[in-house]
Amino acid sequence: MNTTAIRFKRLLLTGAAGGLGRVLRPRLKAVCDTLRVSDIADLGAEAAGEEVRQAALQDKAAVLALLEGVDAVVHLGGVSTEHSFEDIIGPNIAGTFHVYEGARLHGAKRVVFASSNHVTGFYTQGQTITPDMPPRPDGYYGLSKAFGENLAQFYFDRHGIETVSVRIGSSFPEPADRRMLATWLSYDDLERLVLAALTAPVVDHTVIFGMSDNRLTWWDNTAARHVGYRPQDSSEPFRAAIETRQGAIDPTQPAARFQGGAFVTKGPY
Ligand code: 15L
């Protein structure tokens, strides 16, 4: 479904073996001569036009080498749900630093950073928020993503590396519950968003929400327009089935009160 004419010489996709990495791998391959894919997990066979590089994000030398000869990075890698701080610090804190250091040393000009709605998970579902409101992380995972956004700002201000930090909502084949009626991001819209973020002429450091054109929303995504992202999907066609399946929910429960849903009480602590 990609229609962009712009082709990159070499893109790097981190976290390529993860849920969204597997979705984006073939779609990004279509817009570049070479797609370098990386993950700590097995990446399978190297397809034509791919370079497969297994690496741990906490391994600085390995990550710096990943950035060699790369035009732009789609950084999805790292721990993607709530874990102990000790489990998160290596991949998400040190790892994201290594990606930016690699970009700086090897001249990569732009990063699309997979941030998360859990940066602002402690805003209530009754609020509409904008990306410039203060972070209210709902756990160590959300905190690590807030750190990544700050890192992106720093590397833009100090080194001119541009980033679109995408606070991804819930990107799955379909919205699975009532919360995801607001947070859902279809895979096709994910692709549209990442391509827009890679190809917009100027982005500085922009923070946007990764959401489809959902009728119910807690996020003012005006900032996404200047990146050129126009979502085309919506959670609305799934509403009736979700409401029948899930029934009524108790609005006093934290998972129903806060935007981060069940994440606000998750964790090994
Ligand atoms: C995330 O950041 C997670 O990576 C994903 O697994 C989902 O749980 C999503 O947030 C969500 O909030 O639904």
Side-chain angles (χ1 to χ4, degrees), residues 22 29 160 163 165 175 229:
R22 289 196 303 272
K29 180 62 206 71
T163 296
S165 291
Y229 170 54

Side-chain angles (χ1 to χ4, degrees), residues 196-261:
L198 283 171
T199 56
V202 177
V203 297
D204 295 356
H205 174 225
T206 300
V207 181
I208 62 176
F209 293 102
M211 58 192 273
S212 282
D213 187 18
N214 304 324
R215 195 186 70 161
L216 171 69
T217 177
W218 312 313
W219 303 329
D220 176 342
N221 217 13
T222 308
R225 292 189 68 81
H226 95 82
V227 173
Y229 170 54
R230 302 287 185 277
Q232 291 179 26
D233 295 324
S234 164
S235 61
E236 209 49 29
F238 302 94
R239 174 184 291 279
I242 287 173
E243 288 181 351
T244 307
R245 199 168 61 231
Q246 204 182 356
I249 46 174
D250 174 358
T252 65
Q253 288 302 303
R257 269 186 68 207
F258 296 106
Q259 296 189 6

Side-chain angles (χ1 to χ4, degrees), residues 80-81 116-118 141 169-170 172 179 263:
S80 65
T81 53
S116 169
N117 73 91
H118 297 288
Y141 165 65
S170 310
F172 296 103
R179 173 177 168 273
F263 274 60

